[in-house]
Amino acid sequence: MSAGPPAPDATPYTLTLNVTGGDSALTDRVEAASNLERLSDRPPSGAAGLVRRALADRRDINAALYAAGYYGGIIRIRVAGSPPDAPDVFQRVEAARTRGPVPVEVAVEAGPQFQFGRIELLDAKTRRALADAPTLARLRLVPGEPALATSIVRAEGLIVDHWRRMAHPFARVESKEIVADHVSHTVDVTFFVAPGPVATFGHFTVVGADFLTPGFIEERIEIAPGTPYSPEVLDRLRRRLLEYEAIASVRVREADQLEADGSLPITIEVSPRKPRYVGFSATYSSTDGSALNAYWGHRNLFGGGETLRLDAQVSWFGEKSEAVPTADPFGYKLAAAFVKPGIYTAQDDLVANAAVLREVTNAYVREAVTLLVGVRHRYSDDLTLQVSLDLEQSQVEDSTSTRDYGIVGVPFELTYDNTDSKLDPSRGWRAAATVEPFAYLGDAGAGPTLFKGSVSTYHAFDERKRFILAGRMSAGSIIGAGLYDVPPQRRFYVGGGGSLRGYEYQSASPRNEDGIIIGGRSFFEASLEARLRVTDTIGIVPFFDMGSAFASEWPDFDGMKYSAGVGLRYYTAIGPLRVDFAFPLNPGPEDGDFGVYVSLGQAF
């Protein structure tokens, strides 16, 4: 309304709004609910428009008072000195217009805040207390607490969700009785609940999956007929199906009634994404260099959900490489990634990645051909194991020489993720562990083994997720090989936006006697963030990082680096835009004064 053209026959007015009782938060709530206040710079059309706006304020302000637990409030509205429902209000408004803006007064007496009294959940048919009802603490309707109307509305949804999780798909609150006692200033609430019958899952029907091979969706439902009904199971199924890039949307429709055997038929409706896509990206760093990347992809290559992505990247290292200062700073990477779902069972996927590349860093310059081929098995929606064959043939130049390296490894990668979001998690855990024995690792030959693991956790302290504490820790080690026997590109490096903010890329790593980065056989990193939302779209994130790579086989924590900083977040529909400012706390002579990092998604 505030963005449109001026109203015809506009009626300007001046508003005086006073709220007595309550606190400043209640005053803000009343002002936000008042159309007279919010639209004061958009005069309504004619006397009738102003009167309608005043009448709407009586209703909306009263709702705001109820929402804050004030059930005895008194609202007095005067338009040109008369109540908006007075018989002569239009004549008074017209007369006042001739003298200038129409005076409007809104006086709100909040009165006392009410507390919850008796809370009951009764069977809608028998009017008796229900067994297995959720606790009042879970419903957040605790006697003695402020009786917010919003809490009552929210509790109604929680009640339905409670019985649906107990296999009652048709649970509903038939009615509720709310009684405000103006003597004791308490509110008694009675919910009349119809749990409905207990149900099991029945037959699943798939609609719209003709863009996939027959049976693709059915093989991945994994819910046997007769399984107790659960909306959480259905939600996990929907999210699991959406992980396939060929599928744009998944809609789960429950039948309106049960079958004779007590089962609930379910319909799964899917729709396709466009199979082909192209795109490009660009990155810039004053320390790591610049890169341009173009890619083409197919989301359903052979009709079975197979994905193929081809990338072509060119890069330019921003500075001279410390290890090879005469090296051409130009780099490139041609890569292909392929995934074939369901090669043995619906839980087994073939994963393949191949690349031809030239990489320039401060520690080495590498030209290589790489191939990683493996099978990924999904044990559950949260837990997967991938076993692969890791092959690399490369030529690497560092500060000492140019060497050819062959690498053959068999990595076992176990991942666990039960967080609620990929880009902005607010609860749950993420963990990953890799064990890779090498049949051949450059000069180290056969026998070395790589161990690497990471864990992160997230906890929201409030329902609106405005304060989230996040922590991350990772470590790794290569055993069975000397430092210089491990190819430079397979050593560990710490530093930069992905590990230790505030320090340059790879800089928190072992160096040789000339001060050139050589990498290590082990590493340790940890981060702690407090993610605070200031508004719905803006947040600040103070953080602390620590970490280092070590020449020793296991982390010895000698020479640990520390940094701290603050980040800004702009929350978008797809995830937060991150800008972090980090400052090293114990910099060395080769370290800078600060680091700035920009990306989509949280740091971890």
Side-chain angles (χ1 to χ4, degrees):
M1 293 177 63
S2 62
D9 191 26
T11 304
Y13 63 90
T14 58
L15 175 66
T16 302
L17 193 157
N18 292 314
V19 181
T20 58
D23 54 14
S24 60
L26 179 64
T27 300
D28 294 341
R29 187 187 291 266
V30 170
E31 291 177 350
S34 170
N35 287 303
L36 289 166
E37 171 69 25
R38 289 187 295 107
L39 303 176
S40 58
D41 60 342
R42 296 289 298 174
S45 176
L50 180 58
V51 170
R52 282 195 300 269
R53 190 175 289 185
L55 289 171
D57 259 23
R58 179 177 292 169
R59 176 199 63 213
D60 295 343
I61 292 175
N62 198 53
L65 292 175
Y66 281 15
Y70 294 85
Y71 294 84
I74 299 174
I75 303 170
R76 296 185 178 90
I77 300 178
R78 296 290 184 270
V79 181
S82 293
D85 53 359
D88 62 344
V89 67
F90 293 109
Q91 291 87 344
R92 287 181 173 271
V93 170
E94 292 295 344
R97 289 178 64 185
T98 63
R99 298 187 295 272
V102 178
V104 179
E105 298 176 355
V106 179
V108 180
E109 297 178 16
Q113 189 180 44
F114 284 50
Q115 284 78 41
F116 283 120
R118 186 182 70 256
I119 309 294
E120 293 183 303
L121 277 71
L122 303 181
D123 189 294
K125 291 182 179 180
T126 66
R127 293 303 197 259
R128 295 179 179 176
L130 285 159
D132 300 322
T135 64
L136 297 183
R138 183 174 177 184
L139 297 179
R140 300 178 187 175
L141 301 179
V142 180
E145 292 293 317
L148 312 183
T150 51
S151 298
I152 299 173
V153 174
R154 182 176 57 244
E156 188 171 347
L158 294 174
I159 291 169
V160 172
D161 290 342
H162 171 79
W163 264 282
R164 280 175 57 83
R165 286 196 297 269
M166 294 176 64
H168 295 263
F170 302 121
R172 69 184 188 278
V173 176
E174 282 197 351
S175 62
K176 56 183 177 290
E177 186 178 273
I178 304 172
V179 178
D181 188 325
H182 289 262
V183 175
S184 62
H185 301 141
T186 59
V187 173
D188 298 334
V189 184
T190 304
F191 295 95
F192 298 99
V193 184
V198 175
T200 60
F201 283 116
H203 177 69
F204 281 79
T205 301
V206 178
V207 177
D210 52 355
F211 61 96
L212 295 166
T213 54
F216 184 92
I217 301 296
E218 289 82 352
E219 291 175 356
R220 288 159 176 78
I221 291 177
E222 302 174 3
I223 303 174
T227 302
Y229 168 84
S230 169
E232 295 175 341
V233 170
L234 288 178
D235 185 59
R236 287 198 298 268
L237 170 63
R238 184 186 62 83
R239 287 187 282 112
R240 185 166 66 248
L241 293 176
L242 284 173
E243 291 179 357
Y244 294 99
E245 294 185 21
I247 299 175
S249 66
V250 177
R251 182 186 179 193
V252 179
R253 288 196 295 109
E254 302 175 7
D256 296 331
Q257 60 184 13
L258 302 182
E259 298 288 358
D261 61 356
S263 64
L264 180 67
I266 304 292
T267 300
I268 306 293
E269 297 180 357
V270 298
S271 62
R273 298 178 72 182
K274 291 183 178 180
R276 297 174 183 83
Y277 63 92
V278 296
F280 71 92
S281 63
T283 61
Y284 170 77
S285 169
S286 60
T287 58
D288 307 345
S290 309
L292 293 174
N293 186 66
Y295 54 87
W296 173 92
H298 201 298
R299 298 186 175 101
N300 194 20
L301 191 61
F302 304 122
E306 302 89 353
T307 62
L308 174 66
R309 172 165 163 160
L310 305 177
D311 285 75
Q313 182 184 94
V314 293
S315 59
W316 186 268
F317 194 63
E319 303 173 345
K320 289 184 178 181
S321 170
E322 294 181 8
V324 192
T326 60
D328 188 334
F330 170 76
Y332 62 84
K333 185 176 183 180
L334 301 175
F338 176 75
V339 177
K340 165 64 177 174
I343 58 169
Y344 302 126
T345 70
Q347 293 77 36
D348 300 304
D349 300 336
L350 174 67
V351 180
N353 294 276
V356 177
L357 58 92
R358 183 176 191 271
E359 178 186 18
V360 182
T361 74
N362 268 326
Y364 60 85
V365 177
R366 174 177 64 143
E367 295 183 2
V369 177
T370 65
L371 176 64
L372 182 74
V373 181
V375 176
R376 181 175 58 210
H377 179 78
R378 181 180 59 81
Y379 290 97
S380 68
D381 293 329
D382 304 327
L383 184 65
T384 61
L385 173 65
Q386 180 172 322
V387 181
S388 308
L389 179 63
D390 176 16
L391 303 175
E392 177 180 336
Q393 184 62 47
S394 60
Q395 184 180 81
V396 182
E397 183 178 5
D398 60 13
S399 60
T400 60
S401 63
T402 300
R403 306 288 298 273
D404 291 331
Y405 294 102
I407 298 173
V408 180
V410 182
F412 296 79
E413 301 173 75
L414 187 69
T415 60
Y416 177 82
D417 187 347
N418 70 348
T419 56
D420 56 348
S421 172
K422 298 295 183 184
L423 293 177
D424 189 21
S426 63
R427 61 172 176 79
W429 292 79
R430 286 178 181 165
T434 301
V435 178
E436 183 173 4
F438 291 96
Y440 197 79
L441 183 63
D443 295 339
T449 302
L450 176 145
F451 297 90
K452 184 169 63 174
S454 66
V455 61
S456 57
T457 186
Y458 314 86
H459 178 72
F461 287 87
D462 62 310
E463 182 183 358
R464 298 179 63 188
K465 303 176 183 179
R466 302 186 77 86
F467 177 28
I468 299 172
L469 189 64
R472 175 185 67 93
M473 184 173 65
S474 58
S477 176
I478 298 175
I479 64 171
L483 176 61
Y484 288 99
D485 292 330
V486 178
Q489 72 274 23
R490 294 299 176 110
R491 299 171 193 161
F492 293 115
Y493 302 88
V494 172
S499 59
L500 180 64
R501 288 166 286 188
Y503 294 86
E504 294 186 4
Y505 180 61
Q506 299 181 333
S507 64
S509 306
R511 299 171 181 266
N512 62 15
E513 59 275 8
D514 297 321
I516 297 173
I517 297 171
I518 58 174
R521 289 187 293 169
S522 61
F523 81 98
F524 175 84
E525 299 171 353
S527 299
L528 185 66
E529 291 189 347
R531 299 171 182 174
L532 311 173
R533 281 210 185 195
V534 180
T535 68
D536 289 340
T537 57
I538 302 297
I540 59 172
V541 180
F543 60 84
F544 173 79
D545 290 352
M546 60 186 296
S548 183
F550 310 95
S552 56
E553 198 169 66
W554 298 99
D556 58 17
F557 301 98
D558 184 27
M560 286 285 291
K561 296 287 189 177
Y562 305 91
S563 68
V566 64
L568 297 178
R569 300 292 184 270
Y570 178 75
Y571 293 92
T572 70
I574 59 174
L577 180 63
R578 172 173 73 101
V579 182
D580 285 343
F581 302 87
F583 303 89
L585 299 180
N586 58 334
E590 68 280 351
D591 294 319
D593 296 327
F594 65 91
V596 182
Y597 309 91
V598 181
S599 72
L600 181 64
Q602 298 286 6
F604 56 89

